[in-house]
């Protein structure tokens, strides 16, 4: 099988090794001639980034980069990015990197032409309709990790640095016009990032599959996404140059993010406030939370995971799946609790309050009351 394809779901995706060479053509297809490449500080001077800038410059599109992006991007990063975009006279954004670069890049394209403040567009009710849709700049997304799937998402997760809360900013036009998924860009990821981002994709698929909402298309993508992570994350982790494994993980990441239109749940509801307060890696935090959340949701999800286990070639149904998750985490040296994650004496009250306010609670199959959310959190402390 040749792992190269052009997809149109949920947007135009150019998938395959070496396809970063098409970056200038992708920008033209999206309607931009002077893009701003937005990425994080860690990627700013890496070869994959400079090569992408070389390609843009050679095509007469300039060589502009904004990289003042934190691992958990915040409103200060957004303000600086919008300033760079407007002062540079740019007409589009190349969102480049992992979740932080992708989320901040999409947000810069969204905010650059708006007159209202950032938090007016939080994912609450129909607040997204407050935006001037015609003022949103085009976006080309280039993931360099295989985890968040933000390249095919209609939202950005942004930390409010004052309240230490993660907020979701949503608009349908956050969805990039063109995506380049080039697995060669992920070859240089260190093992712990390969593991953490891959487990983030796995969490997206698990939670989408667990969600009680009706969305058969998402359910199917979540199930196959779990299979891809199960089979190919160990290979990508063991050998970072395994392009077949890297490609399948890139697919799993996009599938997870597409699938969670069906809903997320308690894993993300807990992970978001923990990450905002303690600056932990998002995917790794999801993995820490997953075993306890699976058991918490057992009364509601046992039946569907009995079926999933058969497809995933896991013996023992739901209980076997839970055992697999424990072993999978151990394989990638995931901390078993928040203490091992480096969080001693966590603020239980604030984490619980943040979890209960997080939109992800709406997709959890078991109601997250204050009492049972506290009990759940105490299992991972």
């Amino acid at each position: 099988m040749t792992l190269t394809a052009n997809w149109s779901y949920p947007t135009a995706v150019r998938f395959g090794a070496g396809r970063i060479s098409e970056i200038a053509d992708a920008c033209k297809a999206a309607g931009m001639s002077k893009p701003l490449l937005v990425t994080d500080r860690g990627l700013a001077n890496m070869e994959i980034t400079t090569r992408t800038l070389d390609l843009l410059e050679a095509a007469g599109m300039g060589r502009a980069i904004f990289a003042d992006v934190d691992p958990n991007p915040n409103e200060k990063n957004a303000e600086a990015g919008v300033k760079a975009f407007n002062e540079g006279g740019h007409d589009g954004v190349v969102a480049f990197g992992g979740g932080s670069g992708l989320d901040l890049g999409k947000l810069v394209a969204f905010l650059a032409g708006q007159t209202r403040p950032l938090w007016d567009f939080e994912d609450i009710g129909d607040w997204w309709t407050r935006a001037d849709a015609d003022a949103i700049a085009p976006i080309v997304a280039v993931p360099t990790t295989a985890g968040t799937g933000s390249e095919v998402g209609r939202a950005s997760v942004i930390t409010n640095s004052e309240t230490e809360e993660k907020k979701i900013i949503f608009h349908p036009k956050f969805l990039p016009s063109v995506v380049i998924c080039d697995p060669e860009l992920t070859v240089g990821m260190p093992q712990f990032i390969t593991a953490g981002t891959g487990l983030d994709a796995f969490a997206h698929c698990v939670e989408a599959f667990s969600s009680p909402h009706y969305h058969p298309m998402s359910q199917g993508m979540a199930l196959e996404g779990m299979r891809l992570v199960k089979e190919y994350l160990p290979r990508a982790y063991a050998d970072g140059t395994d392009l077949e494994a890297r490609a399948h993980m890139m697919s799993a990441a996009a599938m997870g993010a597409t699938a969670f239109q069906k809903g997320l749940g308690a894993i993300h509801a807990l992970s978001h406030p923990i990450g905002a307060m303690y600056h932990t890696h998002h995917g790794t935090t999801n993995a820490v939370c997953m075993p306890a959340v699976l058991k918490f949701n057992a009364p509601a999800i046992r039946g569907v995971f009995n079926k999933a286990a058969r497809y995933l070639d896991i013996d023992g149904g739901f209980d076997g799946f839970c055992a697999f998750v424990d072993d999978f985490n151990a394989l990638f040296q995931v901390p078993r609790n928040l203490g091992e994650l480096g969080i001693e004496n966590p603020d239980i009250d604030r984490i619980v309050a943040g979890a209960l306010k997080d939109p992800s609670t709406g997709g959890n199959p078991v109601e997250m009351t204050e009492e049972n959310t506290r009990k759940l959190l105490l299992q991972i402390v």
Side-chain angles (χ1 to χ4, degrees):
M1 183 188 302
T2 301
L3 299 178
T4 303
N6 294 331
W7 298 327
S8 58
Y9 182 73
T11 189
V13 180
R14 304 183 185 198
F15 189 99
R19 298 197 72 175
I20 191 61
S21 63
E22 301 174 30
I23 184 63
D25 184 68
C27 289
K28 291 176 184 175
M32 62 179 88
S33 59
K34 191 179 181 183
L36 174 67
L37 187 146
V38 177
T39 192
D40 62 72
R41 297 184 188 92
L43 279 170
N45 296 311
M46 290 187 66
E47 190 271 338
I48 57 174
T49 310
T50 57
R51 178 157 53 96
T52 303
L53 289 168
D54 289 345
L55 290 165
L56 291 171
E57 187 176 34
M61 293 186 165
R63 189 186 187 88
I65 182 172
F66 174 79
D68 188 14
V69 180
D70 293 320
N72 289 300
N74 57 51
E75 80 285 355
K76 296 176 183 178
N77 301 151
E79 182 180 359
V82 168
K83 181 179 179 182
F85 183 93
N86 287 329
E87 289 183 352
H90 299 288
D91 60 0
V93 166
V94 174
F96 189 94
S100 55
L102 294 172
D103 277 3
L104 203 283
K106 293 192 300 182
L107 187 66
V108 167
F110 171 75
L111 282 177
Q114 304 302 320
T115 57
R116 300 181 70 137
L118 167 61
W119 305 123
D120 277 7
F121 304 110
E122 188 178 347
D123 188 17
I124 297 174
D126 64 353
W127 285 17
W128 64 273
T129 62
R130 296 170 170 178
D132 179 356
D134 293 334
I136 301 172
I139 303 162
V140 170
V142 183
T144 63
T145 65
T148 69
S150 184
E151 66 273 10
V152 293
R154 294 168 173 81
S156 289
V157 179
I158 303 297
T159 298
N160 184 321
S161 63
E162 295 183 4
T163 64
E164 294 186 314
E165 295 176 297
K166 286 195 175 184
K167 302 288 188 178
I168 296 175
I169 311 300
F170 166 82
H171 194 280
K173 290 187 72 173
F174 266 70
L175 183 66
S177 300
V178 184
V179 177
I180 293 179
C181 283
D182 183 344
E184 289 184 350
L185 301 181
T186 69
V187 165
M189 275 196 296
Q191 274 193 321
F192 79 97
I193 297 294
T194 296
T197 54
L199 292 169
D200 190 23
F202 190 64
H204 293 159
C205 293
V206 168
E207 290 212 287
F209 195 76
S210 301
S211 171
H213 302 309
Y214 180 71
H215 200 320
M217 290 179 287
S218 287
Q219 195 76 343
M221 294 188 77
L223 182 59
E224 177 64 2
M226 283 190 276
R227 185 191 70 82
L228 290 176
V229 177
K230 174 180 177 286
E231 294 191 13
Y232 292 101
L233 182 56
R235 281 177 50 177
Y237 181 79
D239 177 7
T241 65
D242 184 339
L243 272 181
E244 182 185 28
R246 291 293 195 187
H248 284 306
M249 284 305 303
M250 216 162 216
S251 291
M255 291 165 71
T258 304
F260 73 59
Q261 293 179 37
K262 183 172 177 278
L264 290 171
I267 293 173
H268 279 76
L270 291 171
S271 179
H272 282 154
I274 291 168
M277 293 167 60
Y278 302 105
H279 311 293
T280 55
H281 183 270
H282 174 65
T284 305
T285 310
N286 281 342
V288 172
C289 295
M290 185 179 294
V293 171
L294 286 170
K295 293 176 176 62
F296 174 77
N297 286 329
I301 66 174
R302 181 176 292 277
V304 292
F305 274 91
N306 283 338
K307 297 175 183 177
R310 291 197 295 271
Y311 180 77
L312 297 171
D313 199 23
I314 293 172
D315 294 331
F318 172 74
D319 294 329
F321 182 83
C322 291
F324 162 78
V325 168
D326 289 337
D327 292 342
F328 210 50
N329 279 356
L331 176 65
F332 304 115
Q333 303 178 55
V334 171
R336 292 169 296 181
N337 51 52
L338 296 186
E340 291 187 7
L341 193 60
I343 304 171
E344 297 183 3
N345 301 314
D347 190 329
I348 301 295
D349 291 339
R350 285 187 65 198
I351 295 174
V352 170
L356 293 175
K357 289 192 293 184
D358 193 277
S360 301
T361 59
N364 203 66
V366 173
E367 183 183 3
M368 294 178 65
T369 65
E370 181 175 356
E371 180 182 3
N372 62 27
T373 302
R374 184 179 298 273
K375 290 179 180 177
L376 173 59
L377 178 60
L378 288 173
Q379 293 179 47
I380 63 172
V381 169

